[in-house]
């Protein structure tokens, strides 16, 4: 008989490759001869479920309609998103389309910068850090543009629904099918609503039905906070046309306290230019044989006495890339939306749902995770035993600090993967600060892409959690940034290559943000993003991607960094001016400042980029190129990461006094995670200092800070502290007094800064993966930071490791049982590490290898 990991992993591989093998019984039951019977994907997944997966449903659940936006459920197809409230008398879907932003393309250059830059550098050289900080205000640019809110779909039901039976109400987001369902009974009728967002056909679909005939009565219409006009055509369709503002409203700066209103940004336009145009089409279909539809007020549809109804929504905009002004766009959003709707209506509702399931589960089913406590001391936990029917997810979050239910960790891990699939697909825009979900014309921090941790964290789970396609919009975005960033580098800094700063937007803004240097003046945003390019290669080993996409962007980024580095003290190359994102220090003269030279994060990111491009050049046969020679010459002259007098990692190049030791950013630990310059194997002293740095920083902070710390502790192989940060996130935030919280979860499992930022949802999934598997191209560390007393038993299927390897692991009572490895098309050699044992193994492509707890290979199985 094959052991569980073999079945578990081998069946996963079959589905992942799309092969249809003729040995259902043989593979599932361990008979290598097999039975010659074709497999369907459904058969395979059914076998996996029976053999290795938990029966616990992956559901976010409520027993009442949403009262706040953060109670509602997100659905999305990468480009279109909706928040489903699940109201009974009145239903609301908040709608988003990922290209609806204020503004027009910008210039992102300032020819007045070079003399100011020279002044700031001289002040830094003279040790006048406070004065340099003040002078650096003149290096700031314009504010980013603002992510907008498409509008609302509103449904108003008849009075009979107002007296519904509250005990029958159930609202569920099923992560396995990416479907929201709302069920309740009113006046003897059982009502069901279903909602999903389909990627292949770019539509949001909704079905409303009841168990009695001719009992469905409601009015539906579209509305928006943006400038718009809506009307009903002659096809039972509502058309809503509108536009975004061509100039953004005056920006708001969000700190730890209330937002402070600031003046309007500088503009290159003398008047308000035309903004992005949009159009949405809502199509209503009712069941045959009962009921009718009539028009109200020329813009609403009234349904009376039908059995069921299907509502479809599509939307388009005039956005034609970040370099085309809306006024010059040739795209017609109305005709595009109507054409999309005509295409969608070729399919029945059942066909659309089947297409949705096939598309979504091909991504989501790649990874499964099951965690449980030790069987030696399990006690019956009513909150766990009844998660499928009676207990809301919010109640489970609230109880986590007491019962520490591992299944809730599973749920939040998979929720992060669900959100990434739902907001970032090939061809869409990059996931912003809120993914794609937003209810405001003025969202917090403009909903913009922030490049000093937030955008990067959005994509941390894409590789280890086996969703590499979802990272494609990031690479497209980096390409756009490189075009604008080349102009910024040349004009602002007299440098070659390309640069991006701390905040950007739809238009690929690359100039500094508006405002104080502590957040606005940071030239490492593009460089950090470039590390994702190399990471993608190390996980996929895709040389075509490295050669054609990644390397040109990395090369140009390295070119800028070489020009940005200047001759400094003691023969070192330095960055000047330099900040540690959003953090200040006390200068030797006792004055607060943020601008100095060669911050630890600057040096760590540059070191990472330089190491990556040298490695990439070796892979591509470019190691003799002139640029690589310059990089190699610069590498030993970079400031090393240093240890402060108190034993922590120095955040700045000098051991300045830190006025806020519990600051939310842990930028000076970039080299530990997500970087690779601080490792237990090569830099144990720095790891010891990093440990103390994390201890000093403390546990409190916004959600993204919490999960970053979890990943950092995991890299240090400190499972207790890593788990403590995981646990720390499970703090239920009350949206009526969210300013009282730091971090935490809203009731729909959105992560909180507060307010809502999506980055921590993604960072959580990445941190959990990091606790279970760590890797280099050559090394694979199994269960390196497993909290053995909390997740004593478990299985994880389908995680990715560097070197192009897929990993599945099962363990019991905190000890490894078996591990399965497979490489799609890579012949490679790996050093496996577990529990003080190291084994070097050779892995051939298209072969599943099973290893026991001693890391001995006990089974191989060819896929052919």
């Amino acid at each position: 008989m094959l052991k569980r990991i073999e079945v578990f992993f081998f069946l996963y591989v079959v589905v992942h490759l799309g092969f249809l093998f003729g040995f259902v019984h043989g593979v599932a039951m361990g008979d290598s001869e097999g039975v010659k019977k074709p497999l369907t994907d459904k058969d395979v997944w059914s076998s996996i479920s029976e053999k290795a997966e938990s029966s616990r449903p992956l559901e976010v659940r409520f027993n009442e309609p949403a009262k706040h936006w953060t109670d509602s459920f997100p659905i999305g197809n990468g480009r279109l998103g909706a928040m489903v409230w699940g109201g009974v008398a009145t239903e609301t879907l908040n709608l988003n389309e990922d290209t609806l932003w204020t503004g027009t393309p910008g210039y992102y250059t300032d020819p007045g910068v070079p003399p100011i830059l020279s002044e700031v550098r001289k002040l830094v050289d003279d040790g006048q850090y406070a004065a340099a900080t003040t002078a650096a205000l003149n290096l700031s640019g314009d504010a980013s543009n603002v992510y907008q809110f498409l509008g609302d779909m509103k449904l108003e039901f008849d009075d009979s629904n107002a007296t519904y039976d509250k005990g029958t109400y159930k609202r569920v987001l099923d992560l396995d099918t990416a479907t929201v369902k709302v069920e309740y009974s009113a006046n003897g009728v059982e009502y069901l609503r279903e909602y999903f967002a389909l990627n292949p056909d770019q539509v949001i679909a909704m079905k409303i039905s009841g168990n009695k005939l001719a009992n469905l009565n409601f009015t539906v219409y579209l509305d928006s906070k943006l400038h718009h006009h809506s009307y009903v055509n002659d096809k039972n369709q509502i058309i809503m046309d509108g536009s975004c503002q061509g100039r953004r409203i005056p920006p708001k700066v969000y700190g730890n306290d209330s937002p402070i209103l600031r003046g309007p940004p500088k503009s290159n336009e003398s008047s308000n230019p035309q903004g992005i145009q949009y159009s949405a089409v809502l199509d209503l279909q009712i069941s045959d044989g009962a009921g009718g539809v009539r028009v109200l007020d020329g813009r609403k549809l009234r349904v009376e006495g039908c059995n069921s109804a299907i509502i479809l929504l599509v939307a388009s905009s005039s956005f034609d890339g970040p370099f085309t002004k809306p006024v010059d766009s040739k795209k017609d959003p109305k005709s595009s939306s109507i054409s999309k709707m005509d295409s969608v209506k070729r399919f029945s509702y059942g066909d659309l749902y089947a297409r949705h399931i096939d598309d979504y589960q091909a991504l989501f089913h790649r990874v499964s995770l099951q965690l449980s406590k030790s069987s030696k001391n399990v006690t019956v936990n009513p909150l766990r035993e009844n998660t499928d029917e009676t207990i809301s997810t919010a109640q489970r979050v609230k109880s986590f600090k007491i019962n520490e239910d591992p299944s809730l960790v599973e749920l939040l891990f998979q929720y992060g993967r669900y959100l990434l699939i739902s907001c970032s697909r090939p061809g869409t825009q990059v996931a912003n600060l809120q993914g794609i979900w937003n209810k405001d014309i003025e969202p917090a921090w403009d909903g913009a892409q922030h490049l000093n941790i937030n955008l990067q964290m959005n994509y941390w789970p894409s590789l280890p959690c086996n969703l590499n396609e979802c990272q494609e919009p990031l690479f497209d975005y980096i390409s756009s940034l490189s075009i604008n960033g080349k102009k910024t580098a040349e004009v602002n800094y007299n440098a070659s290559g390309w640069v991006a700063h701390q905040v950007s937007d739809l238009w690929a803004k690359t100039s500094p943000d508006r405002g104080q240097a502590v957040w606005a003046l940071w030239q490492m945003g593009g460089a950090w993003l470039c590390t994702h390019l190399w990471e993608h290669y190390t996980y996929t080993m895709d040389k075509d991607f490295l050669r054609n996409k990644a390397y040109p962007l990395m090369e140009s980024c390295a070119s800028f960094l070489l020009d940005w580095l200047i001759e400094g003290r003691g023969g070192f190359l330095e960055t000047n001016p330099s900040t540690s994102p959003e953090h200040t220090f006390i200068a030797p003269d006792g004055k607060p400042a943020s601008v100095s030279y060669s911050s630890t994060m600057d040096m760590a990111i540059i070191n990472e980029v330089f190491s990556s491009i040298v490695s990439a050049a070796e892979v591509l046969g470019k190691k003799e190129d002139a640029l690589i020679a310059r990089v190699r010459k610069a590498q030993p002259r970079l400031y090393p990461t240093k240890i402060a007098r108190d034993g922590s990692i120095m955040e700045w190049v000098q051991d300045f006094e830190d006025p806020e030791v519990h600051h939310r950013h842990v930028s000076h630990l970039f080299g530990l995670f997500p970087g690779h310059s601080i490792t237990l194997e090569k830099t144990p002293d720095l790891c010891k200092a990093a440990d103390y740095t994390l201890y000093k920083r403390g546990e409190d902070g916004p959600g993204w800070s919490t999960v970053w710390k979890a990943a950092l502790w995991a890299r240090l192989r400190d499972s207790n502290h890593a788990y403590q940060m995981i646990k720390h996130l499970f703090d239920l935030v009350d949206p009526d007094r969210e300013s009282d919280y730091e971090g935490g979860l809203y009731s729909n499992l959105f992560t909180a800064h507060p307010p809502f930022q999506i980055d921590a949802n993604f960072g959580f999934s990445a941190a959990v993966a990091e606790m279970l598997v760590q890797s280099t191209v050559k090394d694979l560390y199994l269960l390196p930071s497993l909290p053995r007393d909390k997740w004593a038993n478990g299985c994880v299927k389908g995680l990715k490791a560097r070197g192009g390897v897929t990993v599945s692991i099962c363990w019991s009572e905190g000890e490894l049982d078996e591990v399965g490895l497979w490489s799609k098309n890579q012949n490679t050699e790996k050093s496996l590490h577990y529990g003080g044992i190291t084994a070097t193994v050779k892995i051939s492509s298209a072969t599943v290898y099973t290893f026991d707890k001693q890391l001995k290979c006990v089974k191989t199985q060819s896929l052919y």
Side-chain angles (χ1 to χ4, degrees):
M1 296 290 287
L2 288 181
K3 297 181 181 179
R4 57 177 174 168
I5 186 67
E6 294 169 304
V7 176
F8 183 55
F9 187 70
F10 183 67
L11 290 175
Y12 159 74
V13 171
V14 173
V15 171
H16 187 62
L17 283 178
F19 295 132
L20 298 179
F21 285 86
F23 38 57
V24 183
H25 181 75
V27 171
M29 301 306 295
D31 180 0
S32 60
E33 295 299 320
V35 178
K36 304 298 184 181
K37 179 181 177 182
L39 269 179
T40 67
D41 284 359
K42 182 177 180 181
D43 294 329
V44 175
W45 288 119
S46 176
S47 297
I48 289 176
S49 176
E50 292 169 5
K51 294 293 176 184
E53 296 204 0
S54 167
S55 61
R56 294 189 295 267
L58 288 170
E59 294 178 348
V60 186
R61 173 180 296 273
F62 282 85
N63 297 321
E64 61 182 1
K67 297 177 182 177
H68 302 89
W69 187 76
T70 49
D71 299 333
S72 58
F73 286 145
I75 58 174
N77 59 27
R79 188 178 61 84
L80 293 177
M83 296 293 289
V84 181
W85 286 62
V88 176
T90 302
E91 170 65 300
T92 300
L93 275 71
N94 304 132
L95 305 171
N96 294 105
E97 201 273 356
D98 68 353
T99 64
L100 295 192
W101 286 70
T102 64
T104 62
Y107 298 116
Y108 312 125
T109 60
D110 184 351
V113 162
I116 301 168
L117 180 62
S118 295
E119 175 192 354
V120 172
R121 281 177 167 169
K122 186 176 187 309
L123 289 168
V124 169
D125 287 341
D126 294 342
Q128 299 183 51
Y129 302 115
T133 300
T134 300
L137 280 168
N138 295 316
L139 296 174
S140 66
D142 293 340
S144 65
N145 274 289
V146 187
Y147 185 49
Q148 298 291 275
F149 165 53
L150 171 60
D152 291 322
M153 181 195 302
K154 296 277 192 179
L155 293 93
E156 297 172 349
F157 293 87
D158 61 15
D159 292 341
S160 65
N161 281 19
T163 57
Y164 73 100
D165 181 354
K166 294 184 179 180
T168 64
Y169 185 92
K170 182 170 64 174
R171 177 164 56 96
V172 171
L173 168 59
D174 183 350
L175 302 186
D176 191 61
T177 61
T179 304
V180 170
K181 290 186 178 182
V182 175
E183 301 175 54
Y184 62 91
S185 297
N187 293 314
V189 181
E190 297 175 7
Y191 291 99
L192 171 65
R193 302 183 209 150
E194 297 175 328
Y195 316 72
F196 62 91
L198 172 61
N199 174 267
D201 301 291
Q202 290 296 297
V203 63
I204 293 174
M206 174 183 181
K207 182 177 182 180
I208 313 171
S209 60
N211 70 336
K212 293 187 178 180
L213 300 179
N215 268 282
L216 198 56
N217 305 283
F218 65 91
T219 300
V220 61
Y221 60 97
L222 297 175
D223 200 1
S224 180
K225 298 174 184 177
L226 295 175
H227 174 74
H228 73 284
H229 169 63
S230 63
Y231 59 94
V232 174
N233 66 12
D234 58 358
K235 299 179 181 178
N236 282 352
Q237 292 177 340
I238 302 173
I239 314 292
M240 183 171 71
D241 301 321
S243 62
C244 302
Q245 295 185 45
R247 286 185 63 188
R248 65 155 296 157
I249 52 181
K252 290 181 178 180
V253 177
Y254 285 78
N256 291 330
D257 300 315
S258 300
I260 301 172
L261 189 66
R262 299 171 55 208
K266 294 179 288 185
S267 173
N268 295 311
E269 305 276 356
S270 58
S271 60
N272 190 21
Q274 177 178 303
I276 293 172
Q277 311 294 297
Y278 68 87
S279 182
V281 176
L282 181 152
D283 182 88
L284 174 65
Q285 307 166 44
I286 63 171
S287 53
D288 295 333
V293 180
R294 59 189 176 92
V295 178
L296 297 180
D297 302 328
R299 65 184 188 90
K300 300 179 180 180
L301 291 172
R302 174 66 183 171
V303 174
E304 295 177 337
C306 75
N307 301 329
S308 64
I310 295 168
I311 296 174
L312 305 174
L313 184 125
V314 299
S316 303
S317 85
S318 63
F319 178 72
D320 198 16
F323 313 116
T324 301
K325 293 181 180 180
V327 71
D328 295 330
S329 173
K330 304 302 181 185
K331 290 191 171 183
D332 181 345
K334 181 186 294 186
S335 64
S336 177
S337 292
I338 291 173
S339 176
K340 284 180 182 178
M341 184 60 76
D342 290 342
S343 178
V344 168
K345 290 184 68 176
R346 293 183 294 118
F347 300 100
S348 68
Y349 176 83
D351 288 340
L352 289 174
Y353 188 69
R355 288 165 64 82
H356 163 66
I357 293 297
D358 288 345
D359 168 74
Y360 171 76
Q361 290 186 344
L363 296 171
F364 187 75
H365 276 175
R366 290 177 181 175
V367 174
S368 70
L369 173 66
Q370 298 85 42
L371 303 171
S372 62
K373 297 178 181 179
S374 173
S375 58
K376 297 177 181 178
N377 54 9
V378 169
T379 57
V380 176
N381 175 5
L383 283 177
R384 183 173 183 126
E385 295 299 320
N386 296 293
T387 54
D388 59 332
E389 289 297 336
T390 60
I391 303 300
S392 72
T393 303
Q395 289 173 288
R396 296 177 66 195
V397 172
K398 198 171 184 178
S399 302
F400 186 86
K401 292 192 184 304
I402 299 173
N403 61 38
E404 301 182 45
D405 181 2
S407 69
L408 198 54
V409 176
E410 298 170 18
L411 183 64
L412 191 59
F413 169 84
Q414 293 286 26
Y415 189 61
R417 297 183 68 247
Y418 163 80
L419 291 173
L420 188 58
I421 295 169
S422 300
C423 76
S424 185
R425 293 289 199 100
T428 71
Q429 298 305 304
V430 73
N432 63 50
L433 204 60
Q434 297 183 184
I436 52 173
W437 298 280
N438 168 41
K439 63 179 174 61
D440 299 312
I441 298 301
E442 302 177 67
W445 300 284
D446 301 327
Q449 294 87 343
H450 285 62
L451 277 54
N452 64 5
I453 176 60
N454 315 96
L455 177 58
Q456 290 87 349
M457 185 178 286
N458 283 1
Y459 288 94
W460 281 358
S462 59
L463 293 169
C465 296
N466 211 337
L467 296 172
N468 74 79
E469 300 94 329
C470 294
Q471 205 176 19
E472 287 187 24
L474 180 64
F475 302 145
D476 294 338
Y477 191 63
I478 296 172
S479 295
S480 296
L481 289 171
S482 73
I483 294 171
N484 283 335
K486 185 173 178 61
K487 302 171 189 175
T488 306
E490 181 180 2
V491 174
N492 287 32
Y493 302 127
N494 293 318
S496 60
W498 70 276
V499 63
H501 291 77
Q502 176 257 353
V503 68
S504 191
D505 55 25
L506 178 75
W507 306 106
K509 168 185 163 61
T510 52
S511 54
D513 192 15
R514 179 183 177 89
Q516 299 178 29
V518 67
W519 69 77
L521 190 65
W522 190 66
Q523 292 82 9
M524 295 295 119
W528 188 346
L529 288 175
C530 276
T531 66
H532 285 246
L533 296 164
W534 175 246
E535 285 282 56
H536 185 84
Y537 169 74
T538 64
Y539 273 91
T540 64
M541 308 304 287
D542 184 344
K543 284 189 181 180
D544 288 338
F545 168 83
L546 182 63
R547 179 182 299 105
N548 301 323
K549 186 76 171 182
Y551 194 83
L553 294 168
M554 295 167 64
E555 186 177 40
S556 185
C557 174
S559 181
F560 167 77
L561 294 174
L562 286 167
D563 286 355
W564 179 244
L565 288 163
I566 59 177
E567 292 292 333
R569 302 150 179 82
F572 286 105
L573 296 174
E574 67 182 37
T575 57
N576 178 4
S578 175
T579 61
S580 189
E582 303 183 29
H583 199 14
T584 60
F585 58 87
I586 303 300
D589 60 7
K591 296 178 181 178
S594 61
V595 174
S596 63
Y597 64 100
S598 299
S599 71
T600 299
M601 189 182 214
D602 277 12
M603 292 296 106
I605 290 175
I606 294 171
N607 181 62
E608 196 79 17
V609 172
F610 283 1
S611 296
S612 297
I613 196 164
V614 167
S615 297
E618 291 175 354
V619 172
L620 298 176
K622 295 176 178 285
K623 62 182 180 180
E624 302 301 326
D625 286 6
L627 179 84
I628 300 304
R630 291 180 63 200
V631 169
R632 289 186 184 277
K633 187 176 179 180
Q635 281 179 300
R637 299 183 63 198
L638 298 177
Y639 277 98
T641 300
K642 295 190 288 188
I643 299 174
R645 288 166 293 183
D646 68 356
S648 64
I649 297 288
M650 284 170 54
E651 186 163 357
W652 299 274
V653 73
Q654 295 186 36
D655 198 359
F656 297 126
E657 178 186 346
D658 186 345
E660 192 180 354
V661 294
H662 301 309
H663 193 267
R664 60 193 177 276
H665 281 262
V666 282
S667 306
H668 45 321
L669 296 183
F670 174 92
L672 176 61
F673 186 95
H676 304 89
S677 58
I678 301 176
T679 67
L680 287 167
E681 291 76 21
K682 295 181 180 180
T683 58
D685 290 344
L686 289 179
C687 285
K688 182 179 178 181
D691 184 299
Y692 182 61
T693 303
L694 284 168
Y695 173 77
K696 265 181 64 177
R697 219 54 156 191
E699 296 181 356
D700 292 336
W704 58 261
S705 178
T706 300
V707 297
W708 192 358
K709 291 169 186 173
L712 288 162
W713 282 118
R715 276 280 169 94
L716 291 172
R717 318 273 165 81
D718 188 327
S719 59
N720 290 333
H721 279 105
Y723 178 78
Q724 187 60 33
M725 297 315 301
I726 293 293
K727 180 179 177 181
H728 193 73
L729 189 66
F730 286 88
D731 187 16
L732 186 63
V733 176
D734 181 351
D736 288 327
R737 52 184 190 89
E738 63 183 6
S739 62
D740 294 346
Y741 295 81
E742 275 199 285
L745 297 171
Y746 293 102
S747 58
N748 67 355
L749 296 186
F750 271 170
T751 50
H753 184 286
F756 163 58
Q757 284 184 199
I758 202 168
D759 39 26
N761 283 112
F762 300 133
F764 181 89
S765 301
V768 170
E770 193 73 16
M771 294 168 74
L772 300 177
V773 174
Q774 293 176 26
S775 63
T776 68
V777 172
K778 294 296 183 182
D779 294 278
L780 182 60
Y781 299 89
L782 306 170
L783 306 180
S785 194
L786 176 72
R788 287 168 168 76
D789 58 332
K790 305 297 183 180
W791 307 340
N793 304 297
C795 278
V796 63
K797 166 184 71 78
L799 292 181
K800 286 288 187 177
R802 294 173 182 86
V805 173
T806 308
V807 184
S808 294
I809 308 173
C810 284
W811 65 95
S812 58
E813 299 304 332
E815 297 298 330
L816 177 69
D817 281 340
E818 292 175 313
V819 57
L821 303 180
W822 162 71
S823 179
K824 180 179 179 181
N825 49 22
Q826 214 42 47
N827 293 324
T828 186
E829 187 173 284
K830 279 280 185 186
S831 292
L832 308 185
H833 305 269
Y834 174 76
I837 302 172
T838 297
T840 301
V841 301
K842 292 184 178 180
I843 298 174
S844 299
S845 63
T847 302
V848 180
Y849 295 81
T850 304
F851 301 87
D852 65 14
K853 64 181 65 180
Q854 301 298 321
L855 303 185
K856 294 180 180 179
C857 183
V858 295
K859 181 74 176 180
T860 62
Q861 176 72 58
S862 174
L863 294 180
Y864 302 105

